[in-house]
Amino acid sequence: MWSRAGALFAAVLLAPIWGTAMAGSAAPRRDLSWNAPGAGNPLLPGYFADPSIVRDGGRWYIFATIDPWGDDRLGLWTSDNGRDWTFSQPNWPTKQAATSPTSGDAKVWAPSVVKAPNGRWYMYVSVGSEVWVGSAASPAGPWADANGGKPLIARDFAPAYHMIDAEAFVDDDGQAYLYWGSGLNWVNGHCFVVKLKPDMVHFDGAPKDVTPANYFEGPFMVKEKGRYLLTYSDGNTTKDTYKVRYAVGSSPMGPFVEAANSPVLETDAGKQIISPGHHAIFADQGRSYILYHRQALPFVMGGERVLRQVAVDPLTVRGDGLLEKVRPSHDPVIPAFAAHRTRGLRWTGKGADALAADDNYATAWRPDTGQPPVLTADLGMVRTLRESRVRPAFAIQPQDLRIEASVDGKNWRQVAAETGVRGSPITLRHPGKARFLRMTVQAKEPAILEWSIF
Protein backbone atom coordinates (compact mmCIF):
# COMPACT_ATOMS: atom_id res chain seq x y z
CA MET A 1 0.00 0.00 0.00
CA TRP A 2 1.06 3.56 -0.55
CA SER A 3 1.72 5.51 2.59
CA ARG A 4 3.11 8.81 3.65
CA ALA A 5 2.28 8.48 7.30
CA GLY A 6 1.69 4.76 7.73
CA ALA A 7 -1.31 3.09 9.30
CA LEU A 8 -1.24 5.58 12.17
CA PHE A 9 -2.55 8.28 9.89
CA ALA A 10 -5.06 6.53 7.66
CA ALA A 11 -7.81 8.90 8.76
CA VAL A 12 -5.65 11.94 8.01
CA LEU A 13 -5.43 11.11 4.30
CA LEU A 14 -2.26 13.12 4.11
CA ALA A 15 -1.08 10.74 1.46
CA PRO A 16 -2.65 7.64 -0.01
CA ILE A 17 -3.39 4.52 2.00
CA TRP A 18 -5.63 2.47 -0.25
CA GLY A 19 -5.93 -0.87 -1.98
CA THR A 20 -5.31 -1.11 -5.69
CA ALA A 21 -8.81 -2.41 -6.22
CA MET A 22 -10.18 0.83 -4.79
CA ALA A 23 -7.97 3.14 -6.80
CA GLY A 24 -9.11 4.42 -10.17
CA SER A 25 -10.78 7.11 -12.16
CA ALA A 26 -13.61 9.23 -10.86
CA ALA A 27 -16.98 10.00 -12.46
CA PRO A 28 -17.38 10.06 -16.26
CA ARG A 29 -15.58 12.98 -17.84
CA ARG A 30 -17.24 15.77 -19.78
CA ASP A 31 -14.00 17.04 -21.35
CA LEU A 32 -14.84 20.70 -20.92
CA SER A 33 -12.73 23.32 -22.65
CA TRP A 34 -10.63 25.57 -20.45
CA ASN A 35 -12.98 28.56 -20.72
CA ALA A 36 -16.29 26.65 -20.57
CA PRO A 37 -18.82 27.63 -17.90
CA GLY A 38 -18.83 25.15 -15.05
CA ALA A 39 -15.28 23.89 -15.57
CA GLY A 40 -14.19 22.76 -12.09
CA ASN A 41 -10.46 22.70 -12.77
CA PRO A 42 -8.53 24.77 -11.60
CA LEU A 43 -9.61 23.79 -8.12
CA LEU A 44 -8.53 27.00 -6.37
CA PRO A 45 -9.46 30.59 -7.28
CA GLY A 46 -6.27 32.45 -8.02
CA TYR A 47 -2.65 31.95 -8.96
CA PHE A 48 -0.78 29.45 -6.81
CA ALA A 49 1.81 26.70 -7.21
CA ASP A 50 3.59 23.82 -5.43
CA PRO A 51 0.53 22.62 -3.48
CA SER A 52 0.59 20.42 -0.37
CA ILE A 53 -2.74 18.97 0.81
CA VAL A 54 -3.74 17.50 4.18
CA ARG A 55 -6.97 16.74 6.00
CA ASP A 56 -7.59 17.16 9.71
CA GLY A 57 -10.84 17.03 11.65
CA GLY A 58 -12.93 16.89 8.50
CA ARG A 59 -11.31 20.01 7.02
CA TRP A 60 -9.06 20.17 3.98
CA TYR A 61 -5.96 22.36 3.95
CA ILE A 62 -3.94 23.29 0.86
CA PHE A 63 -0.66 25.13 1.45
CA ALA A 64 0.87 26.70 -1.67
CA THR A 65 3.35 29.15 -3.16
CA ILE A 66 1.76 32.48 -4.11
CA ASP A 67 2.34 33.52 -7.72
CA PRO A 68 3.85 35.36 -9.41
CA TRP A 69 6.99 33.56 -8.24
CA GLY A 70 6.48 33.54 -4.49
CA ASP A 71 5.68 35.99 -1.75
CA ASP A 72 6.96 36.88 1.71
CA ARG A 73 4.39 34.40 3.08
CA LEU A 74 2.58 31.28 1.94
CA GLY A 75 -1.02 30.90 0.86
CA LEU A 76 -3.35 28.60 2.80
CA TRP A 77 -6.73 27.44 1.48
CA THR A 78 -9.23 25.66 3.72
CA SER A 79 -12.46 23.87 2.88
CA ASP A 80 -14.97 21.63 4.62
CA ASN A 81 -16.30 20.16 1.37
CA GLY A 82 -13.36 20.31 -1.02
CA ARG A 83 -15.17 22.72 -3.35
CA ASP A 84 -15.62 26.02 -1.50
CA TRP A 85 -12.22 27.33 -0.41
CA THR A 86 -11.29 30.19 1.93
CA PHE A 87 -7.93 31.94 1.71
CA SER A 88 -5.63 32.97 4.55
CA GLN A 89 -1.91 33.16 5.21
CA PRO A 90 -0.13 31.15 7.93
CA ASN A 91 1.70 33.15 10.56
CA TRP A 92 4.92 31.25 9.77
CA PRO A 93 7.10 31.16 7.77
CA THR A 94 7.77 34.69 6.65
CA LYS A 95 10.70 35.82 4.57
CA GLN A 96 11.82 38.02 7.47
CA ALA A 97 11.56 35.30 10.12
CA ALA A 98 13.10 32.49 8.06
CA THR A 99 16.18 34.04 6.49
CA SER A 100 19.84 33.26 7.06
CA PRO A 101 22.97 35.04 5.77
CA THR A 102 23.20 32.45 2.98
CA SER A 103 19.57 31.99 1.97
CA GLY A 104 19.46 34.47 -0.91
CA ASP A 105 16.70 36.84 -1.91
CA ALA A 106 14.17 34.34 -3.30
CA LYS A 107 10.75 34.29 -1.67
CA VAL A 108 8.84 31.67 0.36
CA TRP A 109 8.12 28.59 -1.76
CA ALA A 110 7.03 24.98 -1.89
CA PRO A 111 5.53 23.93 1.46
CA SER A 112 5.21 20.28 2.50
CA VAL A 113 2.98 19.57 5.50
CA VAL A 114 2.88 16.19 7.26
CA LYS A 115 1.56 14.71 10.49
CA ALA A 116 4.26 12.89 12.44
CA PRO A 117 3.99 9.81 14.67
CA ASN A 118 4.38 12.13 17.67
CA GLY A 119 1.00 13.69 16.83
CA ARG A 120 2.31 17.09 15.76
CA TRP A 121 2.30 18.63 12.30
CA TYR A 122 5.50 19.66 10.54
CA MET A 123 6.05 21.99 7.63
CA TYR A 124 9.12 21.85 5.41
CA VAL A 125 9.37 24.97 3.30
CA SER A 126 11.82 26.64 0.94
CA VAL A 127 12.95 30.17 1.79
CA GLY A 128 15.56 31.53 -0.56
CA SER A 129 17.58 28.45 -1.52
CA GLU A 130 17.29 26.77 1.87
CA VAL A 131 14.86 24.45 3.65
CA TRP A 132 13.30 25.52 6.94
CA VAL A 133 11.10 23.48 9.29
CA GLY A 134 8.24 24.54 11.52
CA SER A 135 5.75 22.74 13.73
CA ALA A 136 2.17 23.18 14.96
CA ALA A 137 -0.46 21.30 16.92
CA SER A 138 -2.85 21.68 13.96
CA PRO A 139 -2.43 22.52 10.27
CA ALA A 140 -4.48 25.62 11.08
CA GLY A 141 -1.55 26.80 13.23
CA PRO A 142 -0.20 28.79 14.87
CA TRP A 143 3.09 27.64 13.36
CA ALA A 144 6.52 28.19 14.89
CA ASP A 145 10.08 27.56 13.80
CA ALA A 146 11.23 24.13 15.02
CA ASN A 147 14.98 24.39 14.46
CA GLY A 148 16.21 27.27 16.60
CA GLY A 149 15.85 29.97 13.96
CA LYS A 150 18.21 28.40 11.43
CA PRO A 151 17.70 26.47 8.20
CA LEU A 152 17.36 22.71 8.33
CA ILE A 153 19.21 22.44 5.02
CA ALA A 154 21.54 25.33 4.27
CA ARG A 155 22.28 26.69 0.82
CA ASP A 156 25.88 25.48 0.98
CA PHE A 157 24.92 21.82 1.54
CA ALA A 158 25.25 21.34 -2.24
CA PRO A 159 25.81 24.80 -3.76
CA ALA A 160 25.70 23.49 -7.34
CA TYR A 161 21.95 22.87 -6.90
CA HIS A 162 18.96 24.57 -5.32
CA MET A 163 18.28 23.33 -1.79
CA ILE A 164 14.50 23.57 -2.14
CA ASP A 165 11.32 21.48 -2.56
CA ALA A 166 11.64 19.35 0.57
CA GLU A 167 8.95 16.68 1.01
CA ALA A 168 8.49 14.45 4.06
CA PHE A 169 7.43 10.80 3.86
CA VAL A 170 6.52 8.57 6.83
CA ASP A 171 6.78 4.85 6.14
CA ASP A 172 4.49 2.14 7.53
CA ASP A 173 6.89 1.50 10.41
CA GLY A 174 6.77 5.17 11.48
CA GLN A 175 10.24 6.02 10.13
CA ALA A 176 10.28 9.45 8.52
CA TYR A 177 12.35 10.52 5.53
CA LEU A 178 12.98 13.87 3.88
CA TYR A 179 13.56 14.32 0.13
CA TRP A 180 14.68 17.55 -1.52
CA GLY A 181 16.67 19.18 -4.32
CA SER A 182 16.31 21.13 -7.56
CA GLY A 183 18.47 22.18 -10.48
CA LEU A 184 19.90 25.57 -11.34
CA ASN A 185 19.18 27.62 -14.46
CA TRP A 186 16.66 25.01 -15.67
CA VAL A 187 19.34 22.32 -15.84
CA ASN A 188 18.31 19.09 -14.11
CA GLY A 189 19.24 18.85 -10.46
CA HIS A 190 19.90 16.24 -7.81
CA CYS A 191 17.58 14.57 -5.33
CA PHE A 192 18.74 13.92 -1.77
CA VAL A 193 17.14 11.86 1.00
CA VAL A 194 17.84 11.51 4.71
CA LYS A 195 16.25 9.64 7.59
CA LEU A 196 14.72 11.88 10.23
CA LYS A 197 14.86 11.28 13.94
CA PRO A 198 11.52 11.02 15.81
CA ASP A 199 11.59 14.79 16.45
CA MET A 200 11.21 15.26 12.64
CA VAL A 201 13.97 17.87 12.73
CA HIS A 202 17.32 16.20 13.21
CA PHE A 203 18.96 13.89 10.68
CA ASP A 204 19.41 10.22 11.55
CA GLY A 205 22.54 9.56 9.50
CA ALA A 206 24.03 11.24 6.47
CA PRO A 207 21.97 12.42 3.48
CA LYS A 208 22.20 10.31 0.34
CA ASP A 209 22.05 11.30 -3.32
CA VAL A 210 19.30 9.19 -4.94
CA THR A 211 18.80 11.15 -8.17
CA PRO A 212 16.81 9.18 -10.78
CA ALA A 213 16.97 9.78 -14.52
CA ASN A 214 15.41 13.03 -15.79
CA TYR A 215 15.05 14.53 -12.31
CA PHE A 216 14.70 18.30 -11.97
CA GLU A 217 12.80 19.03 -8.72
CA GLY A 218 9.67 18.47 -6.63
CA PRO A 219 10.15 14.94 -5.20
CA PHE A 220 7.12 13.21 -3.69
CA MET A 221 7.38 9.68 -2.29
CA VAL A 222 4.56 7.12 -2.27
CA LYS A 223 4.55 3.40 -1.55
CA GLU A 224 2.72 0.63 -3.37
CA LYS A 225 2.91 -3.14 -2.73
CA GLY A 226 6.22 -2.90 -0.90
CA ARG A 227 7.86 -0.79 -3.60
CA TYR A 228 8.72 2.87 -3.32
CA LEU A 229 7.68 5.23 -6.10
CA LEU A 230 9.67 8.46 -6.20
CA THR A 231 7.58 10.89 -8.23
CA TYR A 232 9.15 14.18 -9.34
CA SER A 233 9.05 17.02 -11.85
CA ASP A 234 11.16 17.57 -14.96
CA GLY A 235 11.29 20.41 -17.48
CA ASN A 236 10.73 24.16 -17.25
CA THR A 237 7.63 25.46 -15.46
CA THR A 238 7.86 28.79 -17.31
CA LYS A 239 7.53 27.05 -20.69
CA ASP A 240 5.52 24.06 -21.88
CA THR A 241 7.94 21.28 -20.86
CA TYR A 242 7.16 20.78 -17.17
CA LYS A 243 5.88 17.28 -16.34
CA VAL A 244 5.65 14.58 -13.65
CA ARG A 245 7.87 11.49 -13.86
CA TYR A 246 8.42 8.60 -11.48
CA ALA A 247 11.04 6.01 -10.59
CA VAL A 248 10.82 2.75 -8.63
CA GLY A 249 12.94 1.39 -5.79
CA SER A 250 12.86 -1.35 -3.16
CA SER A 251 13.82 1.02 -0.34
CA PRO A 252 12.95 4.63 0.55
CA MET A 253 16.70 5.29 0.32
CA GLY A 254 16.84 4.01 -3.27
CA PRO A 255 18.32 3.31 -5.71
CA PHE A 256 15.50 4.37 -8.05
CA VAL A 257 15.04 3.38 -11.69
CA GLU A 258 12.69 5.43 -13.87
CA ALA A 259 9.55 3.51 -14.83
CA ALA A 260 9.07 2.52 -18.46
CA ASN A 261 5.80 4.49 -18.73
CA SER A 262 7.20 7.69 -17.18
CA PRO A 263 6.21 10.54 -17.47
CA VAL A 264 2.70 10.10 -16.11
CA LEU A 265 1.49 13.72 -16.37
CA GLU A 266 2.54 16.19 -19.06
CA THR A 267 1.37 18.99 -21.33
CA ASP A 268 -1.74 18.32 -23.40
CA ALA A 269 -1.63 21.06 -26.00
CA GLY A 270 -5.00 20.08 -27.45
CA LYS A 271 -6.69 20.77 -24.11
CA GLN A 272 -4.49 23.80 -23.37
CA ILE A 273 -3.13 22.12 -20.23
CA ILE A 274 0.39 23.50 -20.06
CA SER A 275 3.30 22.34 -17.90
CA PRO A 276 1.56 20.34 -15.14
CA GLY A 277 3.85 19.47 -12.25
CA HIS A 278 5.14 19.99 -8.69
CA HIS A 279 2.43 17.77 -7.33
CA ALA A 280 1.10 16.06 -4.22
CA ILE A 281 -0.69 12.69 -4.14
CA PHE A 282 -3.58 12.01 -1.78
CA ALA A 283 -6.66 9.84 -1.35
CA ASP A 284 -10.29 10.35 -0.42
CA GLN A 285 -12.87 7.62 0.15
CA GLY A 286 -10.88 4.97 -1.67
CA ARG A 287 -9.94 7.06 -4.70
CA SER A 288 -6.53 8.48 -5.40
CA TYR A 289 -5.75 11.91 -6.85
CA ILE A 290 -2.87 14.04 -7.99
CA LEU A 291 -2.90 17.72 -7.04
CA TYR A 292 -0.57 19.90 -9.10
CA HIS A 293 -0.03 23.29 -10.66
CA ARG A 294 -0.21 24.20 -14.33
CA GLN A 295 0.01 27.38 -16.35
CA ALA A 296 -2.83 29.87 -16.13
CA LEU A 297 -4.60 30.48 -19.43
CA PRO A 298 -4.35 31.92 -21.96
CA PHE A 299 -0.65 30.98 -21.80
CA VAL A 300 1.95 33.05 -23.64
CA MET A 301 5.36 31.44 -24.03
CA GLY A 302 8.04 33.77 -22.70
CA GLY A 303 5.52 36.02 -20.96
CA GLU A 304 6.59 38.65 -18.48
CA ARG A 305 5.60 36.64 -15.39
CA VAL A 306 4.71 33.17 -14.25
CA LEU A 307 1.10 32.64 -13.20
CA ARG A 308 0.08 29.10 -12.28
CA GLN A 309 -3.11 27.54 -10.97
CA VAL A 310 -3.77 24.47 -8.83
CA ALA A 311 -5.68 21.59 -10.42
CA VAL A 312 -6.61 18.03 -9.43
CA ASP A 313 -7.17 14.87 -11.44
CA PRO A 314 -7.71 11.17 -10.69
CA LEU A 315 -4.64 8.95 -10.37
CA THR A 316 -4.94 5.22 -11.11
CA VAL A 317 -2.68 2.46 -9.76
CA ARG A 318 -2.23 -0.46 -12.11
CA GLY A 319 -2.48 -4.06 -11.00
CA ASP A 320 1.30 -4.36 -11.02
CA GLY A 321 1.65 -1.47 -8.63
CA LEU A 322 2.81 1.07 -11.19
CA LEU A 323 0.94 4.21 -12.24
CA GLU A 324 -1.29 4.77 -15.22
CA LYS A 325 -0.82 7.96 -17.17
CA VAL A 326 -2.96 10.77 -15.84
CA ARG A 327 -5.58 12.26 -18.12
CA PRO A 328 -5.50 15.96 -17.15
CA SER A 329 -8.74 17.87 -17.49
CA HIS A 330 -10.70 21.05 -16.92
CA ASP A 331 -13.54 19.04 -15.39
CA PRO A 332 -14.59 18.87 -11.74
CA VAL A 333 -13.31 15.42 -10.78
CA ILE A 334 -13.80 14.83 -7.04
CA PRO A 335 -17.07 12.96 -6.58
CA ALA A 336 -16.35 12.29 -2.92
CA PHE A 337 -16.35 16.03 -2.29
CA ALA A 338 -19.34 18.30 -2.76
CA ALA A 339 -20.69 17.97 -6.29
CA HIS A 340 -20.83 21.71 -6.90
CA ARG A 341 -19.45 24.94 -5.55
CA THR A 342 -21.81 27.18 -3.58
CA ARG A 343 -22.59 29.63 -6.36
CA GLY A 344 -25.50 31.68 -5.06
CA LEU A 345 -28.05 33.22 -7.41
CA ARG A 346 -27.63 32.89 -11.16
CA TRP A 347 -26.89 36.16 -12.89
CA THR A 348 -25.83 37.31 -16.34
CA GLY A 349 -23.52 40.02 -17.57
CA LYS A 350 -22.53 41.56 -20.86
CA GLY A 351 -19.18 40.82 -22.48
CA ALA A 352 -16.37 40.19 -20.02
CA ASP A 353 -18.76 40.65 -17.08
CA ALA A 354 -20.05 37.12 -17.69
CA LEU A 355 -16.63 35.68 -16.82
CA ALA A 356 -17.29 36.51 -13.16
CA ALA A 357 -20.45 34.38 -13.22
CA ASP A 358 -19.31 31.28 -15.13
CA ASP A 359 -18.22 29.00 -12.24
CA ASN A 360 -14.76 28.68 -13.78
CA TYR A 361 -11.62 29.81 -11.98
CA ALA A 362 -9.57 29.76 -15.19
CA THR A 363 -11.45 32.81 -16.50
CA ALA A 364 -11.45 36.27 -14.97
CA TRP A 365 -13.25 39.55 -15.50
CA ARG A 366 -10.89 42.43 -16.18
CA PRO A 367 -11.94 45.91 -17.26
CA ASP A 368 -11.39 46.74 -20.90
CA THR A 369 -8.46 49.05 -21.59
CA GLY A 370 -9.44 52.64 -20.92
CA GLN A 371 -12.78 51.67 -19.39
CA PRO A 372 -13.78 52.16 -15.73
CA PRO A 373 -13.37 49.04 -13.55
CA VAL A 374 -17.09 48.43 -13.17
CA LEU A 375 -18.70 44.99 -13.29
CA THR A 376 -22.51 44.75 -13.67
CA ALA A 377 -24.72 41.78 -12.72
CA ASP A 378 -28.28 41.23 -13.93
CA LEU A 379 -30.27 38.85 -11.70
CA GLY A 380 -33.12 38.64 -14.23
CA MET A 381 -35.77 39.90 -11.82
CA VAL A 382 -36.01 41.82 -8.58
CA ARG A 383 -34.78 39.62 -5.77
CA THR A 384 -34.27 39.84 -2.04
CA LEU A 385 -30.53 39.91 -1.46
CA ARG A 386 -28.25 39.35 1.50
CA GLU A 387 -24.60 39.61 0.49
CA SER A 388 -21.89 39.23 -2.13
CA ARG A 389 -18.84 36.96 -1.97
CA VAL A 390 -16.07 38.15 -4.23
CA ARG A 391 -13.10 36.04 -5.31
CA PRO A 392 -10.37 38.29 -6.72
CA ALA A 393 -7.65 36.82 -8.91
CA PHE A 394 -4.99 38.18 -6.54
CA ALA A 395 -6.10 37.46 -3.00
CA ILE A 396 -3.18 39.26 -1.30
CA GLN A 397 -3.69 42.54 -3.16
CA PRO A 398 -5.75 45.16 -1.30
CA GLN A 399 -9.06 45.86 -2.99
CA ASP A 400 -11.39 48.84 -2.77
CA LEU A 401 -14.85 47.47 -3.53
CA ARG A 402 -18.07 49.43 -3.89
CA ILE A 403 -21.46 47.89 -4.73
CA GLU A 404 -24.49 49.78 -6.01
CA ALA A 405 -27.98 48.35 -6.44
CA SER A 406 -30.89 49.14 -8.77
CA VAL A 407 -34.32 47.70 -9.45
CA ASP A 408 -34.54 49.15 -12.99
CA GLY A 409 -30.95 49.61 -14.17
CA LYS A 410 -31.36 53.40 -14.19
CA ASN A 411 -31.54 54.55 -10.59
CA TRP A 412 -28.67 53.37 -8.41
CA ARG A 413 -27.92 53.50 -4.72
CA GLN A 414 -24.74 52.49 -2.90
CA VAL A 415 -25.36 49.46 -0.66
CA ALA A 416 -21.85 48.33 0.36
CA ALA A 417 -18.25 49.50 0.33
CA GLU A 418 -14.96 48.16 1.67
CA THR A 419 -11.52 49.75 1.44
CA GLY A 420 -8.21 47.93 1.40
CA VAL A 421 -9.69 44.47 1.91
CA ARG A 422 -7.82 41.27 1.04
CA GLY A 423 -8.61 37.59 0.91
CA SER A 424 -10.99 35.23 -0.85
CA PRO A 425 -13.89 35.25 -0.67
CA ILE A 426 -14.38 38.87 0.37
CA THR A 427 -17.87 39.19 1.85
CA LEU A 428 -19.87 42.41 1.50
CA ARG A 429 -23.26 42.65 3.20
CA HIS A 430 -26.03 44.46 1.29
CA PRO A 431 -29.50 43.31 2.47
CA GLY A 432 -32.34 44.63 0.36
CA LYS A 433 -34.05 44.18 -2.99
CA ALA A 434 -32.59 44.68 -6.45
CA ARG A 435 -32.42 43.26 -9.94
CA PHE A 436 -29.10 44.83 -10.85
CA LEU A 437 -25.86 45.16 -8.91
CA ARG A 438 -22.75 46.87 -10.12
CA MET A 439 -19.37 46.62 -8.45
CA THR A 440 -16.49 49.05 -8.82
CA VAL A 441 -13.11 47.40 -8.27
CA GLN A 442 -10.09 49.54 -7.47
CA ALA A 443 -6.88 47.50 -7.13
CA LYS A 444 -3.35 47.32 -8.44
CA GLU A 445 -4.66 44.77 -10.90
CA PRO A 446 -8.47 44.61 -10.92
CA ALA A 447 -9.46 41.06 -11.82
CA ILE A 448 -12.39 39.06 -10.45
CA LEU A 449 -12.62 35.30 -10.89
CA GLU A 450 -16.10 34.89 -9.42
CA TRP A 451 -18.77 37.14 -7.93
CA SER A 452 -21.35 35.12 -6.00
CA ILE A 453 -24.54 36.89 -4.96
CA PHE A 454 -26.82 35.59 -2.19
Side-chain angles (χ1 to χ4, degrees):
M1 299 179 73
W2 289 8
S3 173
R4 193 179 177 194
L8 289 172
F9 312 116
V12 175
L13 294 177
L14 180 66
I17 298 178
W18 65 87
T20 301
M22 299 177 69
S25 299
R29 311 298 284 271
R30 293 181 293 162
D31 290 321
L32 296 177
S33 62
W34 76 270
N35 56 0
N41 247 345
L43 180 67
L44 300 179
Y47 304 118
F48 298 87
D50 315 327
S52 178
I53 185 168
V54 298
R55 192 177 185 183
D56 184 50
R59 176 164 293 176
W60 294 94
Y61 298 80
I62 296 178
F63 297 79
T65 302
I66 297 173
D67 264 352
W69 221 241
D71 185 63
D72 286 349
R73 297 169 69 184
L74 292 170
L76 170 59
W77 291 92
T78 58
S79 176
D80 292 332
N81 63 10
R83 296 289 282 156
D84 300 303
W85 296 88
T86 298
F87 178 80
S88 63
Q89 292 191 273
N91 65 297
W92 184 95
T94 66
K95 176 65 176 173
Q96 182 178 11
T99 297
S100 80
T102 60
S103 63
D105 60 0
K107 298 291 188 176
V108 179
W109 292 344
S112 165
V113 178
V114 62
K115 190 175 186 181
N118 63 20
R120 289 188 63 82
W121 294 82
Y122 289 83
M123 181 194 300
Y124 303 87
V125 61
S126 305
V127 184
S129 188
E130 297 182 329
V131 173
W132 291 68
V133 57
S135 183
S138 160
W143 290 87
D145 181 279
N147 194 39
K150 60 183 184 297
L152 178 63
I153 303 168
R155 185 175 187 174
D156 59 5
F157 172 82
Y161 311 103
H162 271 138
M163 296 296 98
I164 61 173
D165 292 359
E167 281 283 347
F169 165 74
V170 183
D171 207 347
D172 299 328
D173 59 2
Q175 176 62 58
Y177 301 83
L178 191 68
Y179 300 80
W180 75 92
S182 177
L184 283 172
N185 301 318
W186 304 113
V187 176
N188 277 353
H190 277 227
C191 180
F192 303 93
V193 62
V194 70
K195 282 187 178 181
L196 293 175
K197 290 185 175 180
D199 64 7
M200 300 294 287
V201 175
H202 294 93
F203 292 176
D204 186 0
K208 181 181 178 182
D209 187 331
V210 291
T211 307
N214 300 303
Y215 175 90
F216 179 63
E217 65 184 8
F220 193 99
M221 172 58 68
V222 290
K223 187 178 182 182
E224 172 64 23
K225 294 189 175 181
R227 296 194 295 181
Y228 296 85
L229 309 184
L230 179 61
T231 63
Y232 51 95
S233 293
D234 174 35
N236 188 329
T237 191
T238 71
K239 298 182 179 179
D240 59 358
T241 58
Y242 210 52
K243 62 185 74 71
V244 176
R245 297 180 179 269
Y246 78 110
V248 184
S250 59
S251 161
M253 300 291 286
F256 297 100
V257 177
E258 187 172 12
N261 69 334
S262 177
V264 292
L265 176 61
E266 55 190 321
T267 291
D268 186 332
K271 294 181 180 178
Q272 297 194 53
I273 294 173
I274 311 297
S275 280
H278 201 124
H279 60 291
I281 294 170
F282 71 104
D284 185 47
Q285 298 189 22
R287 294 189 182 275
S288 49
Y289 301 91
I290 183 167
L291 184 78
Y292 60 94
H293 71 236
R294 63 198 194 194
Q295 285 284 353
L297 297 172
F299 172 63
V300 179
M301 187 80 77
E304 294 181 357
R305 60 181 177 174
V306 176
L307 291 177
R308 295 161 293 183
Q309 293 192 276
V310 172
V312 62
D313 279 294
L315 180 70
T316 300
V317 184
R318 296 186 342 194
D320 60 4
L322 300 181
L323 306 179
E324 287 191 3
K325 288 186 177 291
V326 177
R327 182 183 175 190
S329 77
H330 303 291
D331 301 343
V333 296
I334 308 185
F337 290 173
H340 304 285
R341 297 180 179 123
T342 303
R343 290 192 58 194
L345 299 171
R346 295 291 193 269
W347 62 270
T348 60
K350 296 179 180 178
D353 291 1
L355 298 178
D358 63 354
D359 191 27
N360 184 347
Y361 294 155
T363 64
W365 165 87
R366 291 176 169 86
D368 292 335
T369 302
Q371 297 300 310
V374 179
L375 169 59
T376 302
D378 181 355
L379 293 158
M381 59 184 294
V382 175
R383 294 180 177 271
T384 300
L385 306 178
R386 184 176 76 250
E387 66 187 27
S388 287
R389 300 175 194 171
V390 181
R391 297 188 179 275
F394 300 95
I396 65 170
Q397 288 186 9
Q399 314 271 328
D400 293 350
L401 303 177
R402 180 166 60 93
I403 295 179
E404 298 168 281
S406 173
V407 295
D408 57 9
K410 298 178 181 178
N411 300 294
W412 297 87
R413 68 187 189 281
Q414 180 172 305
V415 293
E418 295 285 351
T419 302
V421 290
R422 308 169 190 250
S424 178
I426 297 169
T427 300
L428 294 90
R429 296 276 299 166
H430 48 72
K433 292 186 176 183
R435 172 177 171 174
F436 301 93
L437 292 178
R438 67 185 182 192
M439 179 167 58
T440 302
V441 183
Q442 299 286 351
K444 178 181 178 182
E445 187 170 352
I448 303 299
L449 294 172
E450 291 293 316
W451 178 11
S452 300
I453 302 170
F454 297 86

